[in-house]
């Protein structure tokens, strides 16, 4: 069966929800930023129209039509530019049930820094726009104006924080998360040694599934997780690729790239290039990169 037909067969047998998750995972960051940009654009456009309508209630407006849009869109662009730093803060400080006071203190400091950066960038953009129009932008008294902006930014920070972690939790439950299962638990007082697992336990939507290690075709690194690819499905496992590669090496798994581990039994053939790199073709139709830095140890493992 050719690779094209194999891929089509896998696509047909993979549940629609799993296919959607796989597509989302390939461009997850892009989709997150598109959703954020759409939300900010729609919200700030409505705010700009409301401001313009308010200024027109008493007759001729004292501002030009472009000004409320400039105010709102400079604020939106500033938030959008700072959002990568927000995501970093959210990932490094997830909500926990311990040290609550310390968490609140950290997030309070983060809101102040976020508001200061947001206001500074926003005012700079507005001054540039007004300068291009031949005018001058007046932000007003800094302390009361900053306090006004800080209240909105603090609320926005905690709103984004809650939405991010709620969506992450829901997506994790939807996608499922794997954990190792060993054949038996060590006896009390016995020396603990890592055994080669035969199955992974996958919790998904309040159900538990067993995934055989032998059915895993390849494993790829994904931040704080590794993704287990088995029978056209993806199961995230919290951990590092180095640790899982060492754990599964006796079961016939080898690292072939900085971010890839492959199951020997899933390999169809290997192609080597003059540069020293290569490609590993799997029976499922997937083509993986073979790095020359892992080539020799990979060949030894196969031998």
């Amino acid at each position: 069966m050719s690779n094209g037909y194999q891929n089509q067969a896998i696509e047909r047998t993979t549940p629609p929800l799993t296919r959607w998750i796989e597509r989302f995972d390939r461009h997850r960051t892009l989709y997150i930023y598109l959703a954020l940009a759409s939300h900010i654009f729609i919200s700030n456009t409505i705010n700009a129209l409301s401001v313009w309508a308010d200024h027109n209630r008493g007759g001729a407006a004292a501002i030009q039509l472009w000004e409320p849009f400039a105010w709102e869109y400079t604020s939106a662009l500033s938030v959008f530019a700072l959002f990568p730093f927000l995501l970093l803060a959210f990932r490094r400080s997830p909500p926990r049930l311990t040290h609550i006071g310390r968490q609140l203190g950290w997030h309070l400091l983060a809101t102040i820094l976020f508001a200061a950066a947001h206001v500074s960038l926003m005012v700079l953009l507005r001054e540039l726009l007004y300068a291009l129009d031949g005018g001058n932008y007046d932000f007003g008294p800094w302390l009361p104006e900053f306090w006004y902006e800080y209240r909105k930014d603090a609320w926005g920070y905690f709103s984004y924080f809650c939405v991010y972690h709620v969506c992450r939790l829901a997506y994790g439950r939807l996608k499922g998360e794997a954990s190792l299962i060993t054949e038996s638990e060590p006896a009390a007082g016995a020396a603990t040694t890592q055994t080669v697992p035969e199955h992974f336990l996958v919790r998904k939507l309040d159900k538990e599934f067993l995934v055989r290690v032998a059915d895993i075709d390849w494993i790829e690194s994904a931040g704080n997780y590794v993704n287990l690819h088995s029978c056209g499905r993806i199961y995230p496992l919290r951990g590092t690729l180095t640790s899982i590669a060492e754990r599964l090496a006796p079961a016939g798994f080898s690292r072939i790239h900085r971010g890839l581990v492959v199951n020997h039994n899933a390999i169809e053939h290997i192609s080597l290039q003059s540069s020293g790199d290569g490609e590993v073709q799997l029976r499922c139709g997937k083509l993986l990169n073979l790095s020359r830095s892992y080539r020799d140890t990979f060949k030894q493992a196969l031998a």
Side-chain angles (χ1 to χ4, degrees):
M1 183 182 293
S2 66
N3 295 340
Y5 286 117
Q6 285 178 327
N7 291 335
Q8 291 176 10
I10 293 174
E11 184 76 12
R12 286 194 299 269
T13 57
T14 303
L17 178 60
T18 302
R19 293 201 300 267
W20 180 87
I21 291 175
E22 291 176 358
R23 295 191 191 102
F24 179 81
D25 277 339
R26 294 190 192 104
H27 309 285
R28 180 166 49 187
T29 302
L30 175 62
Y31 289 142
I32 290 174
Y33 279 97
L34 284 176
L36 176 67
S38 301
H39 166 72
I40 292 178
F41 176 78
I42 294 173
S43 177
N44 287 50
T45 299
I46 294 174
N47 290 340
L49 293 173
S50 299
V51 171
W52 175 249
D54 290 339
H55 279 78
N56 277 275
R57 287 181 180 178
I63 61 173
Q64 301 181 58
L65 177 60
W66 64 270
E67 290 186 88
F69 289 94
W71 301 338
E72 294 296 331
Y73 289 166
T74 52
S75 176
L77 286 174
S78 301
V79 172
F80 195 77
L82 295 171
F83 202 72
F85 300 99
L86 288 181
L87 289 180
L88 181 62
F90 296 164
R91 290 168 182 165
R92 292 196 171 187
S93 300
R96 298 185 179 93
L97 297 178
T98 59
H99 305 294
I100 296 177
R102 184 185 303 175
Q103 293 183 67
L104 291 177
W106 155 249
H107 287 298
L108 178 62
L109 176 61
T111 60
I112 296 174
L113 295 175
F114 170 60
H118 173 230
V119 171
S120 300
L121 185 57
M122 177 183 69
V123 171
L124 177 61
L125 291 174
R126 291 178 182 179
E127 289 179 347
L128 290 174
L129 288 176
Y130 274 79
L132 291 175
D133 190 56
N136 181 43
Y137 175 72
D138 182 18
F139 181 64
W142 268 90
L143 189 58
E145 291 296 332
F146 178 77
W147 171 245
Y148 171 77
E149 294 292 339
Y150 171 75
R151 289 180 299 173
K152 296 191 297 182
D153 287 340
W155 174 247
Y157 176 93
F158 283 108
S159 298
Y160 288 133
F161 179 82
C162 294
V163 170
Y164 172 80
H165 285 291
V166 168
C167 291
R168 187 174 184 178
L169 177 63
Y171 183 70
R173 294 294 298 277
L174 186 67
K175 184 177 180 180
E177 185 170 330
S179 59
L180 290 168
I181 296 182
T182 55
E183 284 302 303
S184 61
E185 296 294 333
T192 57
T193 58
Q194 285 193 336
T195 59
V196 180
E198 293 190 3
H199 296 87
F200 285 92
L201 177 67
V202 178
R203 297 179 178 88
K204 188 172 184 179
L205 295 178
D206 297 326
K207 295 182 180 179
E208 295 182 345
F209 304 89
L210 287 178
V211 178
R212 294 177 65 238
V213 170
D215 292 335
I216 298 173
D217 296 321
W218 85 97
I219 306 170
E220 63 176 341
S221 176
N224 295 328
Y225 284 81
V226 293
N227 286 331
L228 314 174
H229 292 261
S230 174
C231 302
R233 299 185 178 184
I234 302 175
Y235 304 103
L237 171 68
R238 181 174 288 275
T240 64
L241 194 66
T242 299
S243 62
I244 195 66
E246 293 175 352
R247 189 76 181 272
L248 296 183
F253 286 76
S254 293
R255 196 163 184 173
I256 59 172
H257 190 272
R258 182 178 61 182
L260 294 172
V261 170
V262 69
N263 183 353
H264 300 170
N265 294 323
I267 298 173
E268 183 176 276
H269 65 261
I270 302 170
S271 302
L272 298 178
Q273 303 170 357
S274 58
S275 63
D277 294 326
E279 293 177 334
V280 178
Q281 178 72 55
L282 304 186
R283 292 192 178 94
C284 66
K286 180 68 177 179
L287 189 64
L288 302 177
N289 292 325
L290 170 61
S291 173
R292 60 175 174 266
S293 58
Y294 292 95
R295 185 186 62 179
D296 292 338
T297 54
F298 176 51
K299 292 172 67 176
Q300 292 175 6
L302 289 177

